[in-house]
Amino acid sequence: MERKIRVLVAKPGLDGHDRGAKVVARALRDAGMEVIYTGLQQTPSMIVEAAIQEDVDAIGLSILSGAHMTLLPKITSLLREQGADDVLVVAGGIISDADAATLVRDHGIAAVYGPGSPTHDVVDFIQTHVAASREL
């Protein structure tokens, strides 16, 4: 029996709004994935530690605070330092197109979803990329 895809959903920084993270977490669960939600105000270190402990395939980061160019690269950097850079990292929130392009090109974020993105796009992206990484 194939292991379910495990996803950690996290809210880095001081952002106190998590409705979007909860909606995405529900969509991932409805698609058959195991989802661990860390709750609000997580540090990059806390997120990476939880991801490693939970042996997740992917991390979904929700951020609305404007600190995405500081916090998201810190998370991918810590994943690399811990030898966990095979974990797929996707982000969602209020992130400009220019910043999203930089995060994807330079900082190891696999995809960025803005407000109003269909949840099935996130589900499909994670399923496709985790399946591809398991075939390697």
Side-chain angles (χ1 to χ4, degrees):
M1 183 162 116
E2 187 170 323
R3 186 184 102 153
K4 286 185 175 184
I5 295 173
R6 294 176 57 87
V7 182
L8 183 83
V9 174
K11 293 282 302 177
L14 299 177
D15 177 0
H17 302 276
D18 65 349
R19 181 176 293 176
K22 290 178 177 174
V23 168
V24 170
R26 169 52 61 191
L28 297 173
R29 283 189 186 110
D30 289 348
M33 298 181 206
E34 290 185 40
V35 178
I36 302 103
Y37 176 49
T38 63
L40 297 170
Q41 301 178 347
Q42 301 293 300
T43 67
S45 296
M46 293 163 71
I47 293 166
V48 169
E49 183 176 327
I52 291 170
Q53 286 179 351
E54 295 290 344
D55 191 25
V56 297
D57 301 291
I59 300 173
L61 299 168
S62 172
I63 189 162
L64 300 170
S65 67
H68 52 273
M69 295 306 286
T70 302
L71 296 173
L72 303 188
K74 181 66 176 171
I75 291 166
T76 53
S77 175
L78 288 170
L79 286 168
R80 276 191 304 279
E81 289 175 19
Q82 297 293 319
D85 51 341
D86 59 330
V87 175
L88 181 73
V89 180
V90 297
I94 308 293
I95 299 173
S96 72
D97 290 343
D99 286 353
T102 300
L103 289 167
V104 170
R105 183 186 62 240
D106 299 339
H107 298 292
I109 303 296
V112 176
Y113 296 93
S117 296
T119 54
H120 64 81
D121 287 356
V122 179
V123 168
D124 291 346
F125 185 86
I126 290 173
Q127 287 175 330
T128 298
H129 285 80
V130 170
S133 71
R134 287 182 177 179
E135 291 175 4
L136 294 176

